[in-house]
């Protein structure tokens, strides 16, 4: 896939210097709206499609939660460093298919994310909703609209024409491998079944890495995030680095906690 952007908007290195309140402001690389009026921003609902709080994994009696927990049990057991390296080598060839962006978006009509406790609709709806919501919040940042539209396109990996990977190898929260699994990961207990859990080369705080090596030098669990990042990068995508960062790490939810940020900095 090739991702062209005509006249891309490259934001200034210091995002905090932007003066227009409707433009993107970044706080530790996490986009936050600075618009003060509710009429000018997208208002997210307070509950998900099932009437529950977003990202609530604690309700053991909820059928959706049961299937999501089973998903994470399988994912945490199988996402090893060796598996990640194998997938990056195989899919880094980018030899599966050539298509334009909208053709790829339409393929997601066939994909429902089994790891998502909040939504059981085809993923194309999520792409369009994300892009439109961000366009309302940040009307002048067209690169961010595009980033929102394509951020989950890597989920086509579940389809036969892209190799038909099981969902545990495509969706769900991502996390570093090759070092100890941080307790901020959802359903952390299932990592005990992962072969790397008791490997002395991998189960220390830094594992195979050096302190302060930088997130870009860490192997993340394999999935749609890393695949779409490789597609964009290797095709010479003109999105700014912030867009590529969002694509690559948008499922890395442990990074939103203070302790995890301190660890992976």
């Amino acid at each position: 896939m090739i991702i062209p952007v005509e006249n891309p908007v490259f934001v200034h290195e210091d995002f905090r210097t932007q003066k227009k309140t409707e433009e993107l402001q970044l706080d530790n690389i996490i986009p936050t709206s600075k618009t003060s009026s509710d009429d000018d921003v997208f208002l997210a609902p307070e509950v998900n499609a099932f009437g529950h709080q977003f990202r609530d994994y604690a309700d053991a009696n909820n059928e959706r939660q049961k299937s999501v927990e089973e998903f994470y049990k399988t994912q945490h057991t199988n996402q090893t460093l060796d598996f990640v390296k194998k997938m990056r080598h195989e899919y880094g060839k980018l030899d599966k298919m050539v298509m334009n962006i909208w053709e790829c978006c339409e393929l997601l009509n066939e994909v429902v994310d089994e790891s998502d406790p909040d939504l059981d609709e085809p993923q194309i709806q999520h792409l369009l909703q994300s892009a439109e919501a961000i366009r309302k919040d940040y009307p002048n940042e067209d690169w961010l609209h595009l980033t929102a539209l394509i951020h989950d396109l890597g989920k086509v990996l579940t389809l036969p024409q892209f190799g038909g990977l099981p969902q545990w190898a495509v969706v769900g929260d991502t996390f570093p491998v090759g070092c100890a699994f941080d307790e901020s990961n959802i359903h952390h207990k299932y990592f005990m079944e992962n072969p790397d859990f008791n490997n002395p080369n991998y189960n220390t705080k830094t594992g195979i890495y050096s302190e302060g090596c930088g997130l870009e030098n860490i192997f993340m669990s394999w999935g749609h995030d890393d695949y779409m990042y490789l597609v964009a990068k290797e095709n010479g995508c003109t999105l700014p680095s912030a867009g590529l960062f969002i694509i690559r790490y948008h499922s890395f939810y442990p990074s939103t906690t203070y302790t995890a940020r301190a660890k992976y900095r």
Side-chain angles (χ1 to χ4, degrees):
M1 292 179 287
I2 298 178
I3 309 171
V5 184
E6 295 183 1
N7 300 320
V9 176
F10 291 90
V11 293
H12 193 278
E13 287 184 4
D14 185 359
F15 295 97
R16 298 177 183 81
T17 62
Q18 296 182 14
K19 296 181 180 179
K20 295 182 179 179
T21 57
E22 74 274 11
E23 292 185 352
L24 178 68
Q25 304 289 323
L26 291 192
D27 181 13
N28 294 327
I29 318 179
I30 305 300
T32 56
S33 175
K34 302 300 287 187
T35 314
S36 57
S37 172
D38 287 345
D39 294 333
D40 297 327
V41 300
F42 172 75
L43 298 178
E46 295 182 358
V47 296
N48 64 20
F50 306 100
H52 302 287
Q53 295 296 314
F54 286 99
R55 288 186 61 81
D56 178 8
Y57 296 91
D59 187 358
N61 296 319
N62 183 290
E63 289 301 318
R64 179 68 175 180
Q65 296 289 1
K66 292 178 182 178
S67 64
V68 169
E69 182 169 351
E70 186 62 30
F71 164 86
Y72 276 107
K73 178 180 180 180
T74 307
Q75 186 212 46
H76 290 356
T77 300
N78 290 284
Q79 287 273 5
T80 64
L81 177 61
D82 286 345
F83 174 76
V84 169
K85 288 182 175 180
K86 178 181 178 181
M87 290 295 99
R88 287 196 111 242
H89 174 74
E90 172 62 26
Y91 284 93
K93 299 173 185 177
L94 304 181
D95 59 356
K96 303 302 179 186
M97 188 170 290
V98 177
M99 60 174 55
N100 64 41
I101 290 299
W102 185 245
E103 289 172 336
C104 191
C105 288
E106 289 185 315
L107 288 179
L108 291 186
N109 269 315
E110 306 172 40
V111 178
V112 175
D113 189 335
E114 295 176 359
S115 73
D116 193 339
D118 302 318
L119 186 68
D120 62 352
E121 299 293 337
Q123 286 295 292
I124 190 172
Q125 295 188 28
H126 172 60
L127 299 184
L128 296 174
Q129 290 170 346
S130 299
E132 286 300 316
I134 287 180
R135 183 165 67 170
K136 186 172 183 179
D137 271 10
Y138 309 110
N140 298 322
E141 307 295 342
D142 57 358
W143 66 270
L144 191 57
H145 312 159
L146 177 61
T147 300
L149 180 67
I150 70 173
H151 77 282
D152 269 353
L153 289 186
K155 291 180 180 179
V156 295
L157 289 176
T158 63
L159 301 176
Q161 55 267 54
F162 285 87
L165 291 178
Q167 289 225 0
W168 63 261
V170 179
V171 301
D173 289 7
T174 57
F175 47 86
V177 295
C179 59
F181 301 112
D182 193 82
E183 292 186 1
S184 59
N185 287 295
I186 192 68
H187 294 306
H188 177 269
K189 61 185 178 182
Y190 295 120
F191 283 117
M192 290 188 290
E193 303 299 321
N194 188 302
D196 290 355
F197 187 83
N198 292 312
N199 188 323
N201 294 318
Y202 306 148
N203 65 5
T204 62
K205 178 182 176 181
T206 55
I208 64 173
Y209 311 107
S210 59
E211 191 78 29
C213 66
L215 188 58
E216 69 277 8
N217 295 309
I218 291 177
F219 287 102
M220 301 295 294
S221 55
W222 175 252
H224 69 281
D225 313 64
D226 209 15
Y227 175 63
M228 192 59 205
Y229 166 75
L230 291 174
V231 170
K233 180 183 177 183
E234 297 306 319
N235 278 291
C237 175
T238 55
L239 284 173
S241 58
L244 295 177
F245 183 95
I246 291 169
I247 291 171
R248 190 177 191 184
Y249 299 112
H250 71 269
S251 297
F252 184 24
Y253 280 95
S255 66
T256 64
T257 67
Y258 176 80
T259 54
R261 282 201 303 271
K263 175 179 179 180
Y264 299 126
R265 185 170 298 161

